[in-house]
Amino acid sequence: LNCIDDFFANIRLTTFWSILFIQEFGCQTEFEVLQTSNAHAYIFPGISGQSRSNAIIVNDLLAPYVAYHDYCSVGGIVALKLGTILLVLLTAHVPHRSHLVLSLDQALEDIDNMFNRVNTYASRVLHIDNQHVHLMFGADFNCCRSDNHMNQRRTDIVRWLASWRLAHLSAMNP
């Protein structure tokens, strides 16, 4: 926790930030929320004990607006209720070939299920309809090589993004 506090103390001095998506953050095996001197860190478990976790860091100014959090095999969600809008922050680290435990199809299905759960929560508990649920997605899709397997992977991911009407990603390996 001290190294996380030090990290945030240093970036606070140089720039203003609201939300950070962190990839390959430690090797968590369980979901955890850490409160630091000026942030809440939602740390999501990796695919296995050997794989890296990812996290969404929310500045303390926005932390009171967190209305929901959830996670799946490859990532997690933190949702901020901002009036009549639900801003869903989703981070994922999609497995590559060395993680044979989980396929791309299974990873995307797990993310679909998680996003469906937040939509249901928004509708039933927060009374926000799907038109007012907005998604910001920070992900590592592990598709940077240019062989046929990676080309197909990029095609599959673009098709999946279109199914959610996503037009923009906050991060994606080229």
PDB file of all heavy atoms in Angstrom, residues 39-77:
ATOM      1  N   ALA A  39      -7.035   8.347  -3.335  1.00  0.00           N
ATOM      2  CA  ALA A  39      -7.676   7.538  -4.379  1.00  0.00           C
ATOM      3  C   ALA A  39      -8.236   6.237  -3.805  1.00  0.00           C
ATOM      4  O   ALA A  39      -7.884   5.834  -2.699  1.00  0.00           O
ATOM      5  CB  ALA A  39      -6.665   7.198  -5.466  1.00  0.00           C
ATOM      6  N   HIS A  40      -9.106   5.651  -4.596  1.00  0.00           N
ATOM      7  CA  HIS A  40      -9.594   4.296  -4.341  1.00  0.00           C
ATOM      8  C   HIS A  40      -9.105   3.438  -5.510  1.00  0.00           C
ATOM      9  O   HIS A  40      -9.357   3.773  -6.669  1.00  0.00           O
ATOM     10  CB  HIS A  40     -11.117   4.252  -4.280  1.00  0.00           C
ATOM     11  CG  HIS A  40     -11.685   4.854  -3.034  1.00  0.00           C
ATOM     12  ND1 HIS A  40     -11.675   6.208  -2.786  1.00  0.00           N
ATOM     13  CD2 HIS A  40     -12.259   4.275  -1.959  1.00  0.00           C
ATOM     14  CE1 HIS A  40     -12.237   6.445  -1.607  1.00  0.00           C
ATOM     15  NE2 HIS A  40     -12.602   5.284  -1.085  1.00  0.00           N
ATOM     16  N   ALA A  41      -8.413   2.358  -5.189  1.00  0.00           N
ATOM     17  CA  ALA A  41      -7.880   1.454  -6.210  1.00  0.00           C
ATOM     18  C   ALA A  41      -8.717   0.179  -6.202  1.00  0.00           C
ATOM     19  O   ALA A  41      -8.754  -0.526  -5.199  1.00  0.00           O
ATOM     20  CB  ALA A  41      -6.413   1.146  -5.929  1.00  0.00           C
ATOM     21  N   TYR A  42      -9.394  -0.088  -7.309  1.00  0.00           N
ATOM     22  CA  TYR A  42     -10.175  -1.317  -7.485  1.00  0.00           C
ATOM     23  C   TYR A  42      -9.285  -2.284  -8.250  1.00  0.00           C
ATOM     24  O   TYR A  42      -9.035  -2.088  -9.435  1.00  0.00           O
ATOM     25  CB  TYR A  42     -11.467  -1.024  -8.248  1.00  0.00           C
ATOM     26  CG  TYR A  42     -12.383  -0.098  -7.476  1.00  0.00           C
ATOM     27  CD1 TYR A  42     -12.193   1.280  -7.507  1.00  0.00           C
ATOM     28  CD2 TYR A  42     -13.411  -0.611  -6.701  1.00  0.00           C
ATOM     29  CE1 TYR A  42     -13.020   2.129  -6.781  1.00  0.00           C
ATOM     30  CE2 TYR A  42     -14.250   0.229  -5.968  1.00  0.00           C
ATOM     31  CZ  TYR A  42     -14.034   1.603  -6.012  1.00  0.00           C
ATOM     32  OH  TYR A  42     -14.850   2.440  -5.298  1.00  0.00           O
ATOM     33  N   ILE A  43      -8.787  -3.293  -7.553  1.00  0.00           N
ATOM     34  CA  ILE A  43      -7.821  -4.210  -8.144  1.00  0.00           C
ATOM     35  C   ILE A  43      -8.517  -5.536  -8.423  1.00  0.00           C
ATOM     36  O   ILE A  43      -9.104  -6.153  -7.525  1.00  0.00           O
ATOM     37  CB  ILE A  43      -6.610  -4.404  -7.220  1.00  0.00           C
ATOM     38  CG1 ILE A  43      -5.982  -3.030  -6.925  1.00  0.00           C
ATOM     39  CG2 ILE A  43      -5.582  -5.341  -7.861  1.00  0.00           C
ATOM     40  CD1 ILE A  43      -4.939  -3.047  -5.857  1.00  0.00           C
ATOM     41  N   PHE A  44      -8.449  -5.969  -9.681  1.00  0.00           N
ATOM     42  CA  PHE A  44      -9.166  -7.151 -10.139  1.00  0.00           C
ATOM     43  C   PHE A  44      -8.193  -8.311 -10.301  1.00  0.00           C
ATOM     44  O   PHE A  44      -7.066  -8.120 -10.770  1.00  0.00           O
ATOM     45  CB  PHE A  44      -9.885  -6.852 -11.456  1.00  0.00           C
ATOM     46  CG  PHE A  44     -10.745  -5.625 -11.370  1.00  0.00           C
ATOM     47  CD1 PHE A  44     -10.359  -4.435 -11.959  1.00  0.00           C
ATOM     48  CD2 PHE A  44     -11.928  -5.647 -10.647  1.00  0.00           C
ATOM     49  CE1 PHE A  44     -11.134  -3.295 -11.860  1.00  0.00           C
ATOM     50  CE2 PHE A  44     -12.714  -4.502 -10.530  1.00  0.00           C
ATOM     51  CZ  PHE A  44     -12.322  -3.329 -11.141  1.00  0.00           C
ATOM     52  N   PRO A  45      -8.600  -9.527  -9.938  1.00  0.00           N
ATOM     53  CA  PRO A  45      -7.690 -10.672 -10.028  1.00  0.00           C
ATOM     54  C   PRO A  45      -7.329 -11.004 -11.468  1.00  0.00           C
ATOM     55  O   PRO A  45      -8.090 -10.743 -12.389  1.00  0.00           O
ATOM     56  CB  PRO A  45      -8.484 -11.811  -9.395  1.00  0.00           C
ATOM     57  CG  PRO A  45      -9.898 -11.389  -9.406  1.00  0.00           C
ATOM     58  CD  PRO A  45      -9.918  -9.892  -9.444  1.00  0.00           C
ATOM     59  N   GLY A  46      -6.147 -11.592 -11.622  1.00  0.00           N
ATOM     60  CA  GLY A  46      -5.714 -12.065 -12.931  1.00  0.00           C
ATOM     61  C   GLY A  46      -6.389 -13.386 -13.260  1.00  0.00           C
ATOM     62  O   GLY A  46      -7.146 -13.945 -12.467  1.00  0.00           O
ATOM     63  N   ILE A  47      -6.101 -13.896 -14.450  1.00  0.00           N
ATOM     64  CA  ILE A  47      -6.698 -15.148 -14.909  1.00  0.00           C
ATOM     65  C   ILE A  47      -6.285 -16.313 -14.025  1.00  0.00           C
ATOM     66  O   ILE A  47      -7.052 -17.211 -13.749  1.00  0.00           O
ATOM     67  CB  ILE A  47      -6.306 -15.425 -16.379  1.00  0.00           C
ATOM     68  CG1 ILE A  47      -6.835 -14.306 -17.256  1.00  0.00           C
ATOM     69  CG2 ILE A  47      -6.826 -16.773 -16.853  1.00  0.00           C
ATOM     70  CD1 ILE A  47      -6.257 -14.311 -18.652  1.00  0.00           C
ATOM     71  N   SER A  48      -5.040 -16.273 -13.553  1.00  0.00           N
ATOM     72  CA  SER A  48      -4.536 -17.308 -12.655  1.00  0.00           C
ATOM     73  C   SER A  48      -3.589 -16.642 -11.669  1.00  0.00           C
ATOM     74  O   SER A  48      -3.308 -15.449 -11.774  1.00  0.00           O
ATOM     75  CB  SER A  48      -3.813 -18.391 -13.450  1.00  0.00           C
ATOM     76  OG  SER A  48      -2.632 -17.850 -14.034  1.00  0.00           O
ATOM     77  N   GLY A  49      -3.099 -17.394 -10.712  1.00  0.00           N
ATOM     78  CA  GLY A  49      -2.191 -16.846  -9.719  1.00  0.00           C
ATOM     79  C   GLY A  49      -0.899 -16.321 -10.310  1.00  0.00           C
ATOM     80  O   GLY A  49      -0.224 -15.489  -9.714  1.00  0.00           O
ATOM     81  N   GLN A  50      -0.524 -16.792 -11.497  1.00  0.00           N
ATOM     82  CA  GLN A  50       0.708 -16.344 -12.129  1.00  0.00           C
ATOM     83  C   GLN A  50       0.506 -15.136 -13.041  1.00  0.00           C
ATOM     84  O   GLN A  50       1.464 -14.495 -13.446  1.00  0.00           O
ATOM     85  CB  GLN A  50       1.337 -17.469 -12.977  1.00  0.00           C
ATOM     86  CG  GLN A  50       1.827 -18.644 -12.177  1.00  0.00           C
ATOM     87  CD  GLN A  50       0.700 -19.611 -11.819  1.00  0.00           C
ATOM     88  OE1 GLN A  50      -0.289 -19.688 -12.534  1.00  0.00           O
ATOM     89  NE2 GLN A  50       0.833 -20.304 -10.711  1.00  0.00           N
ATOM     90  N   SER A  51      -0.723 -14.837 -13.415  1.00  0.00           N
ATOM     91  CA  SER A  51      -0.938 -13.752 -14.377  1.00  0.00           C
ATOM     92  C   SER A  51      -1.137 -12.424 -13.662  1.00  0.00           C
ATOM     93  O   SER A  51      -1.497 -12.369 -12.491  1.00  0.00           O
ATOM     94  CB  SER A  51      -2.133 -14.063 -15.274  1.00  0.00           C
ATOM     95  OG  SER A  51      -3.313 -14.111 -14.523  1.00  0.00           O
ATOM     96  N   ARG A  52      -0.893 -11.368 -14.404  1.00  0.00           N
ATOM     97  CA  ARG A  52      -0.998 -10.025 -13.850  1.00  0.00           C
ATOM     98  C   ARG A  52      -2.455  -9.596 -13.712  1.00  0.00           C
ATOM     99  O   ARG A  52      -3.310  -9.977 -14.497  1.00  0.00           O
ATOM    100  CB  ARG A  52      -0.270  -9.032 -14.751  1.00  0.00           C
ATOM    101  CG  ARG A  52       1.194  -9.292 -14.875  1.00  0.00           C
ATOM    102  CD  ARG A  52       1.868  -8.956 -13.590  1.00  0.00           C
ATOM    103  NE  ARG A  52       3.299  -8.830 -13.783  1.00  0.00           N
ATOM    104  CZ  ARG A  52       4.084  -8.360 -12.857  1.00  0.00           C
ATOM    105  NH1 ARG A  52       3.611  -7.996 -11.704  1.00  0.00           N
ATOM    106  NH2 ARG A  52       5.368  -8.273 -13.075  1.00  0.00           N
ATOM    107  N   SER A  53      -2.686  -8.765 -12.723  1.00  0.00           N
ATOM    108  CA  SER A  53      -4.014  -8.206 -12.487  1.00  0.00           C
ATOM    109  C   SER A  53      -4.123  -6.886 -13.243  1.00  0.00           C
ATOM    110  O   SER A  53      -3.160  -6.404 -13.817  1.00  0.00           O
ATOM    111  CB  SER A  53      -4.195  -7.944 -10.994  1.00  0.00           C
ATOM    112  OG  SER A  53      -3.947  -9.096 -10.253  1.00  0.00           O
ATOM    113  N   ASN A  54      -5.309  -6.298 -13.207  1.00  0.00           N
ATOM    114  CA  ASN A  54      -5.473  -4.940 -13.694  1.00  0.00           C
ATOM    115  C   ASN A  54      -6.295  -4.176 -12.682  1.00  0.00           C
ATOM    116  O   ASN A  54      -6.845  -4.756 -11.751  1.00  0.00           O
ATOM    117  CB  ASN A  54      -6.056  -4.890 -15.111  1.00  0.00           C
ATOM    118  CG  ASN A  54      -7.244  -5.783 -15.290  1.00  0.00           C
ATOM    119  OD1 ASN A  54      -8.130  -5.796 -14.462  1.00  0.00           O
ATOM    120  ND2 ASN A  54      -7.262  -6.549 -16.357  1.00  0.00           N
ATOM    121  N   ALA A  55      -6.333  -2.862 -12.831  1.00  0.00           N
ATOM    122  CA  ALA A  55      -6.977  -2.042 -11.809  1.00  0.00           C
ATOM    123  C   ALA A  55      -7.582  -0.795 -12.429  1.00  0.00           C
ATOM    124  O   ALA A  55      -7.166  -0.351 -13.501  1.00  0.00           O
ATOM    125  CB  ALA A  55      -5.956  -1.643 -10.744  1.00  0.00           C
ATOM    126  N   ILE A  56      -8.565  -0.267 -11.741  1.00  0.00           N
ATOM    127  CA  ILE A  56      -9.121   1.048 -12.057  1.00  0.00           C
ATOM    128  C   ILE A  56      -8.919   1.886 -10.802  1.00  0.00           C
ATOM    129  O   ILE A  56      -9.333   1.491  -9.710  1.00  0.00           O
ATOM    130  CB  ILE A  56     -10.612   0.968 -12.426  1.00  0.00           C
ATOM    131  CG1 ILE A  56     -10.807   0.136 -13.701  1.00  0.00           C
ATOM    132  CG2 ILE A  56     -11.193   2.374 -12.595  1.00  0.00           C
ATOM    133  CD1 ILE A  56     -12.259  -0.124 -14.059  1.00  0.00           C
ATOM    134  N   ILE A  57      -8.265   3.016 -10.984  1.00  0.00           N
ATOM    135  CA  ILE A  57      -7.976   3.912  -9.865  1.00  0.00           C
ATOM    136  C   ILE A  57      -8.875   5.133 -10.017  1.00  0.00           C
ATOM    137  O   ILE A  57      -8.893   5.774 -11.066  1.00  0.00           O
ATOM    138  CB  ILE A  57      -6.496   4.363  -9.859  1.00  0.00           C
ATOM    139  CG1 ILE A  57      -5.549   3.208 -10.146  1.00  0.00           C
ATOM    140  CG2 ILE A  57      -6.165   5.086  -8.571  1.00  0.00           C
ATOM    141  CD1 ILE A  57      -5.512   2.116  -9.138  1.00  0.00           C
ATOM    142  N   VAL A  58      -9.640   5.443  -8.974  1.00  0.00           N
ATOM    143  CA  VAL A  58     -10.590   6.555  -9.002  1.00  0.00           C
ATOM    144  C   VAL A  58     -10.129   7.600  -7.986  1.00  0.00           C
ATOM    145  O   VAL A  58      -9.937   7.279  -6.798  1.00  0.00           O
ATOM    146  CB  VAL A  58     -12.021   6.074  -8.663  1.00  0.00           C
ATOM    147  CG1 VAL A  58     -12.996   7.233  -8.659  1.00  0.00           C
ATOM    148  CG2 VAL A  58     -12.467   4.988  -9.639  1.00  0.00           C
ATOM    149  N   ASN A  59      -9.942   8.826  -8.444  1.00  0.00           N
ATOM    150  CA  ASN A  59      -9.563   9.930  -7.571  1.00  0.00           C
ATOM    151  C   ASN A  59     -10.616  10.093  -6.476  1.00  0.00           C
ATOM    152  O   ASN A  59     -11.809   9.884  -6.715  1.00  0.00           O
ATOM    153  CB  ASN A  59      -9.447  11.203  -8.413  1.00  0.00           C
ATOM    154  CG  ASN A  59      -8.879  12.361  -7.639  1.00  0.00           C
ATOM    155  OD1 ASN A  59      -9.447  12.799  -6.647  1.00  0.00           O
ATOM    156  ND2 ASN A  59      -7.752  12.867  -8.114  1.00  0.00           N
ATOM    157  N   ASP A  60     -10.186  10.493  -5.287  1.00  0.00           N
ATOM    158  CA  ASP A  60     -11.112  10.670  -4.164  1.00  0.00           C
ATOM    159  C   ASP A  60     -12.254  11.633  -4.457  1.00  0.00           C
ATOM    160  O   ASP A  60     -13.332  11.521  -3.885  1.00  0.00           O
ATOM    161  CB  ASP A  60     -10.365  11.151  -2.922  1.00  0.00           C
ATOM    162  CG  ASP A  60      -9.829  10.005  -2.087  1.00  0.00           C
ATOM    163  OD1 ASP A  60     -10.228   8.845  -2.322  1.00  0.00           O
ATOM    164  OD2 ASP A  60      -8.999  10.270  -1.199  1.00  0.00           O
ATOM    165  N   LEU A  61     -12.039  12.595  -5.361  1.00  0.00           N
ATOM    166  CA  LEU A  61     -13.108  13.531  -5.709  1.00  0.00           C
ATOM    167  C   LEU A  61     -14.280  12.811  -6.391  1.00  0.00           C
ATOM    168  O   LEU A  61     -15.427  13.244  -6.277  1.00  0.00           O
ATOM    169  CB  LEU A  61     -12.581  14.642  -6.617  1.00  0.00           C
ATOM    170  CG  LEU A  61     -11.509  15.551  -6.005  1.00  0.00           C
ATOM    171  CD1 LEU A  61     -10.949  16.487  -7.065  1.00  0.00           C
ATOM    172  CD2 LEU A  61     -12.084  16.326  -4.832  1.00  0.00           C
ATOM    173  N   LEU A  62     -13.998  11.733  -7.123  1.00  0.00           N
ATOM    174  CA  LEU A  62     -15.044  10.977  -7.812  1.00  0.00           C
ATOM    175  C   LEU A  62     -15.510   9.750  -7.031  1.00  0.00           C
ATOM    176  O   LEU A  62     -16.544   9.172  -7.349  1.00  0.00           O
ATOM    177  CB  LEU A  62     -14.559  10.538  -9.190  1.00  0.00           C
ATOM    178  CG  LEU A  62     -14.376  11.648 -10.213  1.00  0.00           C
ATOM    179  CD1 LEU A  62     -13.782  11.093 -11.500  1.00  0.00           C
ATOM    180  CD2 LEU A  62     -15.697  12.337 -10.498  1.00  0.00           C
ATOM    181  N   ALA A  63     -14.752   9.329  -6.032  1.00  0.00           N
ATOM    182  CA  ALA A  63     -15.073   8.104  -5.286  1.00  0.00           C
ATOM    183  C   ALA A  63     -16.497   8.079  -4.712  1.00  0.00           C
ATOM    184  O   ALA A  63     -17.138   7.023  -4.726  1.00  0.00           O
ATOM    185  CB  ALA A  63     -14.040   7.870  -4.189  1.00  0.00           C
ATOM    186  N   PRO A  64     -17.044   9.194  -4.239  1.00  0.00           N
ATOM    187  CA  PRO A  64     -18.421   9.146  -3.720  1.00  0.00           C
ATOM    188  C   PRO A  64     -19.467   8.782  -4.777  1.00  0.00           C
ATOM    189  O   PRO A  64     -20.581   8.399  -4.442  1.00  0.00           O
ATOM    190  CB  PRO A  64     -18.666  10.575  -3.211  1.00  0.00           C
ATOM    191  CG  PRO A  64     -17.308  11.142  -2.971  1.00  0.00           C
ATOM    192  CD  PRO A  64     -16.420  10.498  -3.996  1.00  0.00           C
ATOM    193  N   TYR A  65     -19.113   8.891  -6.060  1.00  0.00           N
ATOM    194  CA  TYR A  65     -20.049   8.593  -7.138  1.00  0.00           C
ATOM    195  C   TYR A  65     -20.012   7.130  -7.583  1.00  0.00           C
ATOM    196  O   TYR A  65     -20.796   6.732  -8.435  1.00  0.00           O
ATOM    197  CB  TYR A  65     -19.777   9.508  -8.342  1.00  0.00           C
ATOM    198  CG  TYR A  65     -19.946  10.969  -7.999  1.00  0.00           C
ATOM    199  CD1 TYR A  65     -18.836  11.766  -7.719  1.00  0.00           C
ATOM    200  CD2 TYR A  65     -21.211  11.540  -7.914  1.00  0.00           C
ATOM    201  CE1 TYR A  65     -18.986  13.095  -7.379  1.00  0.00           C
ATOM    202  CE2 TYR A  65     -21.372  12.872  -7.575  1.00  0.00           C
ATOM    203  CZ  TYR A  65     -20.255  13.648  -7.304  1.00  0.00           C
ATOM    204  OH  TYR A  65     -20.413  14.961  -6.963  1.00  0.00           O
ATOM    205  N   VAL A  66     -19.105   6.347  -7.001  1.00  0.00           N
ATOM    206  CA  VAL A  66     -19.045   4.926  -7.359  1.00  0.00           C
ATOM    207  C   VAL A  66     -20.320   4.255  -6.856  1.00  0.00           C
ATOM    208  O   VAL A  66     -20.632   4.270  -5.667  1.00  0.00           O
ATOM    209  CB  VAL A  66     -17.791   4.236  -6.774  1.00  0.00           C
ATOM    210  CG1 VAL A  66     -17.849   2.728  -7.006  1.00  0.00           C
ATOM    211  CG2 VAL A  66     -16.533   4.822  -7.398  1.00  0.00           C
ATOM    212  N   ALA A  67     -21.073   3.688  -7.794  1.00  0.00           N
ATOM    213  CA  ALA A  67     -22.361   3.070  -7.468  1.00  0.00           C
ATOM    214  C   ALA A  67     -22.332   1.554  -7.625  1.00  0.00           C
ATOM    215  O   ALA A  67     -23.247   0.870  -7.171  1.00  0.00           O
ATOM    216  CB  ALA A  67     -23.453   3.648  -8.373  1.00  0.00           C
ATOM    217  N   TYR A  68     -21.291   1.037  -8.273  1.00  0.00           N
ATOM    218  CA  TYR A  68     -21.271  -0.391  -8.587  1.00  0.00           C
ATOM    219  C   TYR A  68     -19.855  -0.799  -8.964  1.00  0.00           C
ATOM    220  O   TYR A  68     -19.115  -0.019  -9.561  1.00  0.00           O
ATOM    221  CB  TYR A  68     -22.206  -0.641  -9.779  1.00  0.00           C
ATOM    222  CG  TYR A  68     -22.344  -2.080 -10.224  1.00  0.00           C
ATOM    223  CD1 TYR A  68     -23.281  -2.921  -9.642  1.00  0.00           C
ATOM    224  CD2 TYR A  68     -21.535  -2.591 -11.234  1.00  0.00           C
ATOM    225  CE1 TYR A  68     -23.420  -4.235 -10.059  1.00  0.00           C
ATOM    226  CE2 TYR A  68     -21.667  -3.911 -11.655  1.00  0.00           C
ATOM    227  CZ  TYR A  68     -22.612  -4.723 -11.065  1.00  0.00           C
ATOM    228  OH  TYR A  68     -22.737  -6.034 -11.482  1.00  0.00           O
ATOM    229  N   HIS A  69     -19.481  -2.003  -8.571  1.00  0.00           N
ATOM    230  CA  HIS A  69     -18.241  -2.603  -9.071  1.00  0.00           C
ATOM    231  C   HIS A  69     -18.438  -4.100  -9.171  1.00  0.00           C
ATOM    232  O   HIS A  69     -19.257  -4.699  -8.463  1.00  0.00           O
ATOM    233  CB  HIS A  69     -17.021  -2.241  -8.224  1.00  0.00           C
ATOM    234  CG  HIS A  69     -17.160  -2.575  -6.771  1.00  0.00           C
ATOM    235  ND1 HIS A  69     -17.039  -3.850  -6.271  1.00  0.00           N
ATOM    236  CD2 HIS A  69     -17.421  -1.775  -5.720  1.00  0.00           C
ATOM    237  CE1 HIS A  69     -17.203  -3.828  -4.962  1.00  0.00           C
ATOM    238  NE2 HIS A  69     -17.445  -2.583  -4.605  1.00  0.00           N
ATOM    239  N   ASP A  70     -17.715  -4.702 -10.104  1.00  0.00           N
ATOM    240  CA  ASP A  70     -17.861  -6.124 -10.392  1.00  0.00           C
ATOM    241  C   ASP A  70     -16.591  -6.564 -11.106  1.00  0.00           C
ATOM    242  O   ASP A  70     -15.807  -5.730 -11.558  1.00  0.00           O
ATOM    243  CB  ASP A  70     -19.084  -6.341 -11.291  1.00  0.00           C
ATOM    244  CG  ASP A  70     -19.503  -7.794 -11.441  1.00  0.00           C
ATOM    245  OD1 ASP A  70     -18.945  -8.681 -10.759  1.00  0.00           O
ATOM    246  OD2 ASP A  70     -20.399  -8.057 -12.261  1.00  0.00           O
ATOM    247  N   TYR A  71     -16.380  -7.864 -11.202  1.00  0.00           N
ATOM    248  CA  TYR A  71     -15.226  -8.351 -11.958  1.00  0.00           C
ATOM    249  C   TYR A  71     -15.530  -9.709 -12.561  1.00  0.00           C
ATOM    250  O   TYR A  71     -16.498 -10.379 -12.187  1.00  0.00           O
ATOM    251  CB  TYR A  71     -13.966  -8.413 -11.085  1.00  0.00           C
ATOM    252  CG  TYR A  71     -14.030  -9.413  -9.954  1.00  0.00           C
ATOM    253  CD1 TYR A  71     -13.536 -10.703 -10.110  1.00  0.00           C
ATOM    254  CD2 TYR A  71     -14.578  -9.057  -8.728  1.00  0.00           C
ATOM    255  CE1 TYR A  71     -13.596 -11.619  -9.077  1.00  0.00           C
ATOM    256  CE2 TYR A  71     -14.637  -9.968  -7.690  1.00  0.00           C
ATOM    257  CZ  TYR A  71     -14.138 -11.248  -7.865  1.00  0.00           C
ATOM    258  OH  TYR A  71     -14.206 -12.146  -6.842  1.00  0.00           O
ATOM    259  N   CYS A  72     -14.695 -10.069 -13.533  1.00  0.00           N
ATOM    260  CA  CYS A  72     -14.814 -11.368 -14.196  1.00  0.00           C
ATOM    261  C   CYS A  72     -13.409 -11.948 -14.364  1.00  0.00           C
ATOM    262  O   CYS A  72     -12.459 -11.426 -13.776  1.00  0.00           O
ATOM    263  CB  CYS A  72     -15.529 -11.230 -15.538  1.00  0.00           C
ATOM    264  SG  CYS A  72     -14.573 -10.372 -16.821  1.00  0.00           S
ATOM    265  N   SER A  73     -13.279 -12.963 -15.176  1.00  0.00           N
ATOM    266  CA  SER A  73     -11.996 -13.656 -15.328  1.00  0.00           C
ATOM    267  C   SER A  73     -10.880 -12.787 -15.891  1.00  0.00           C
ATOM    268  O   SER A  73      -9.710 -13.057 -15.642  1.00  0.00           O
ATOM    269  CB  SER A  73     -12.179 -14.887 -16.216  1.00  0.00           C
ATOM    270  OG  SER A  73     -12.569 -14.477 -17.519  1.00  0.00           O
ATOM    271  N   VAL A  74     -11.195 -11.747 -16.637  1.00  0.00           N
ATOM    272  CA  VAL A  74     -10.167 -10.956 -17.314  1.00  0.00           C
ATOM    273  C   VAL A  74     -10.178  -9.470 -16.980  1.00  0.00           C
ATOM    274  O   VAL A  74      -9.380  -8.707 -17.524  1.00  0.00           O
ATOM    275  CB  VAL A  74     -10.253 -11.113 -18.852  1.00  0.00           C
ATOM    276  CG1 VAL A  74      -9.939 -12.528 -19.262  1.00  0.00           C
ATOM    277  CG2 VAL A  74     -11.599 -10.661 -19.382  1.00  0.00           C
ATOM    278  N   GLY A  75     -11.063  -9.035 -16.100  1.00  0.00           N
ATOM    279  CA  GLY A  75     -11.110  -7.608 -15.822  1.00  0.00           C
ATOM    280  C   GLY A  75     -12.175  -7.236 -14.828  1.00  0.00           C
ATOM    281  O   GLY A  75     -12.702  -8.080 -14.108  1.00  0.00           O
ATOM    282  N   GLY A  76     -12.502  -5.955 -14.824  1.00  0.00           N
ATOM    283  CA  GLY A  76     -13.485  -5.475 -13.877  1.00  0.00           C
ATOM    284  C   GLY A  76     -14.154  -4.197 -14.323  1.00  0.00           C
ATOM    285  O   GLY A  76     -13.750  -3.557 -15.289  1.00  0.00           O
ATOM    286  N   ILE A  77     -15.205  -3.864 -13.576  1.00  0.00           N
ATOM    287  CA  ILE A  77     -16.022  -2.685 -13.844  1.00  0.00           C
ATOM    288  C   ILE A  77     -16.121  -1.854 -12.568  1.00  0.00           C
ATOM    289  O   ILE A  77     -16.282  -2.397 -11.478  1.00  0.00           O
ATOM    290  CB  ILE A  77     -17.459  -3.097 -14.254  1.00  0.00           C
ATOM    291  CG1 ILE A  77     -17.504  -3.556 -15.709  1.00  0.00           C
ATOM    292  CG2 ILE A  77     -18.442  -1.965 -14.051  1.00  0.00           C
ATOM    293  CD1 ILE A  77     -18.882  -4.020 -16.147  1.00  0.00           C
TER     294      ILE A  77
END
